[in-house]
């Protein structure tokens, strides 16, 4: 595999294939993709706000005349940083899993704007929300949901190019899609893969996420574009799968010892992943695993805001303890 520079902007990764990368891959700095064959185009994900999505689309249209009209958009999952720019390609067929469509409006721009308007009143949580979301401008975002959904697998054509869509959810979210181009030996993973940053297990179960990694590893691909982080290969998928194993093992030990979620999250070191950003997400993953260990279904137990409050507390704790990594 070629060594790709992890720089902001549009990267041509093959004949009519492009990746849009947003370093450093932390909160809401996500990747997207463009597939072109003749005058046919497919966009893989939009971005968190309209200015960023507009900048990306302008760059794509400058590079590829066919991108002036995006025919299809695949949303790999429902998270805002992969969908809130949809309205800028609203004439496209928007394809997603049924799980993605079901949770598309669970978090809205209005909710985020209301939260961000109160950060001065909400203490540690407010500081953390500013850290995560202040670089972005979600004003004017109108949720633009999928128009075509599927349950398990779907094959589509972009010109003569075959694109397989595999629903691997629930894992990161309720409905996560892998976008596989067999002839090009590459895959866009959405947030089934994070490279260089801790993931968030919003839904789980973690076994499903492991199976998604195994699915990725079984594909005949040598180029992997993650939802966050640099263009990668199977080595990064194997390392990510090892993270899932390790955090489950370490969390189970502390659950069995009777620790609460915050005590466990503070206690877990994950020394093999010290170079990864966003370590406060360990709290979210501990909380998700504790819910799983207790047999509580996804969507019940802690609310997303309670999980964010826990991440905020862990973020503050790590800052005070002198963990100087960017995140």
């Amino acid at each position: 595999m070629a060594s790709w520079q992890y720089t902001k902007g549009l990267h041509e990764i093959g004949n009519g294939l492009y990746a849009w990368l947003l370093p450093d891959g932390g909160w809401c700095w996500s990747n997207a993709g463009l597939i072109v064959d003749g005058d046919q185009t497919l966009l893989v994900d939009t971005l968190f706000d309209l200015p960023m999505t507009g900048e990306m689309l302008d760059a794509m249209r400058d590079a590829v005349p066919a991108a002036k009209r995006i025919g299809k958009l695949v949303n790999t999952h429902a998270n805002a940083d992969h969908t809130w720019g949809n309205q800028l390609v609203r004439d496209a067929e928007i394809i997603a899993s049924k799980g993605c469509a079901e949770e598309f409006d669970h978090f809205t721009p209005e909710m985020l704007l209301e939260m961000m308007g109160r950060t001065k009143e909400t203490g540690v949580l407010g500081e953390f929300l500013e850290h995560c979301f202040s670089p972005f401008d979600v004003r004017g975002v109108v949720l633009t949901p999928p128009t075509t959904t599927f349950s398990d697998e779907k094959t589509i054509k972009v010109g003569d190019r075959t694109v397989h869509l595999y629903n691997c959810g629930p894992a990161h979210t309720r409905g996560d899609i892998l976008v596989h181009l067999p002839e090009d030996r590459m895959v866009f993973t959405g947030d089934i893969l994070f490279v260089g940053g801790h993931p968030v297990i919003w839904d789980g179960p973690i076994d499903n996420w492991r199976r998604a990694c195994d699915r990725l590893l079984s594909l005949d691909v040598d180029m992997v574009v993650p939802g966050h982080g640099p263009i990668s290969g199977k080595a990064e998928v194997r390392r990510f799968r090892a993270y899932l194993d390790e955090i489950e093992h370490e969390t189970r030990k502390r659950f069995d010892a009777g620790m609460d979620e915050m005590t466990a999250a503070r206690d877990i070191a994950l020394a093999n992943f010290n170079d990864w950003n966003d370590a406060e997400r360990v709290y979210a993953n501990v909380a998700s695993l504790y819910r799983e260990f207790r047999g509580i279904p996804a969507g019940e137990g802690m609310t997303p805001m309670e999980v964010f409050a826990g991440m905020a507390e862990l973020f503050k704790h790590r800052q005070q303890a002198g963990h100087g990594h960017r995140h």
Side-chain angles (χ1 to χ4, degrees):
M1 188 186 76
S3 178
W4 300 99
Q5 284 204 323
Y6 188 30
T7 53
K8 178 188 172 180
L10 193 64
H11 297 252
E12 185 168 6
I13 54 177
N15 181 29
L17 299 175
Y18 299 84
W20 179 266
L21 305 180
L22 283 180
D24 65 357
W27 287 102
C28 302
W29 299 105
S30 57
N31 299 332
L34 179 67
I35 301 165
V36 182
D37 196 309
D39 63 353
Q40 301 295 302
T41 55
L42 184 151
L43 182 65
V44 181
D45 283 333
T46 56
L47 303 176
F48 186 55
D49 66 19
L50 301 182
M52 284 199 306
T53 303
E55 180 186 14
M56 174 181 77
L57 291 171
D58 286 345
M60 289 175 172
R61 288 162 180 153
D62 286 345
V64 189
K68 287 183 169 47
R69 182 186 176 278
I70 301 295
K72 293 181 173 71
L73 164 66
V74 171
N75 285 143
T76 58
H77 60 295
N79 281 174
D81 52 338
H82 299 261
T83 63
W84 278 6
N86 280 11
Q87 75 199 72
L88 297 185
V89 289
R90 59 184 169 273
D91 294 333
E93 179 187 10
I94 304 176
I95 304 166
S97 69
K98 286 185 177 173
C100 170
E102 287 165 5
E103 63 180 356
F104 204 83
D105 62 353
H106 284 195
F107 184 64
T108 66
E110 293 75 22
M111 290 178 189
L112 180 60
L113 288 166
E114 193 268 336
M115 283 161 38
M116 296 305 288
R118 295 189 300 111
T119 55
K120 298 292 185 285
E121 307 158 26
T122 49
V124 171
L125 174 59
E127 291 174 19
F128 183 62
L129 292 174
E130 289 280 349
H131 161 75
C132 295
F133 302 120
S134 63
F136 309 102
D137 179 6
V138 302
R139 291 172 300 176
V141 172
V142 177
L143 287 188
T144 306
T147 56
T148 300
T149 62
F150 67 99
S151 294
D152 299 316
E153 297 187 8
K154 184 176 178 66
T155 298
I156 56 180
K157 299 289 278 189
V158 181
D160 293 327
R161 206 173 231 134
T162 301
V163 181
H164 295 309
L165 307 178
Y166 309 129
N167 179 14
C168 296
H172 169 60
T173 62
R174 191 180 297 180
D176 304 290
I177 294 177
L178 299 176
V179 181
H180 177 215
L181 291 91
E183 294 110 335
D184 300 289
R185 300 185 53 168
M186 65 91 58
V187 60
F188 295 95
T189 70
D191 283 0
I192 285 296
L193 180 65
F194 290 67
V195 177
H198 291 255
V200 180
I201 306 169
W202 286 119
D203 276 67
I206 198 168
D207 263 349
N208 272 10
W209 206 330
R210 259 192 292 265
R211 277 193 287 272
C213 291
D214 291 340
R215 182 88 183 256
L216 259 173
L217 291 168
S218 75
L219 298 176
D220 181 19
V221 297
D222 50 27
M223 189 187 309
V224 180
V225 179
H228 297 260
I231 297 170
S232 300
K234 286 189 174 179
E236 288 80 6
V237 181
R238 284 189 284 270
R239 188 177 185 208
F240 183 82
R241 193 190 187 288
Y243 173 95
L244 298 177
D245 287 342
E246 187 166 332
I247 197 163
E248 182 183 33
H249 176 72
E250 294 299 324
T251 301
R252 185 80 218 197
K253 284 195 298 189
R254 289 157 180 84
F255 177 80
D256 291 344
M259 289 184 185
D260 64 26
E261 287 89 337
M262 182 56 70
T263 305
R266 289 184 178 191
D267 196 50
I268 289 171
L270 295 180
N272 292 326
F273 305 95
N274 272 344
D275 57 326
W276 284 15
N277 286 339
D278 303 314
E280 68 275 2
R281 294 175 180 171
V282 168
Y283 177 83
N285 297 336
V286 167
S288 185
L289 286 163
Y290 269 44
R291 173 180 51 73
E292 195 176 321
F293 298 154
R294 291 173 178 138
I296 299 170
E300 299 179 24
M302 283 191 198
T303 66
M305 282 319 300
E306 287 171 329
V307 174
F308 259 100
M311 286 192 282
E313 186 179 330
L314 184 58
F315 180 75
K316 187 79 168 180
H317 169 76
R318 289 180 59 81
Q319 280 187 320
Q320 292 170 341
H323 294 286
H325 207 292
R326 144 88 169 82
H327 290 285

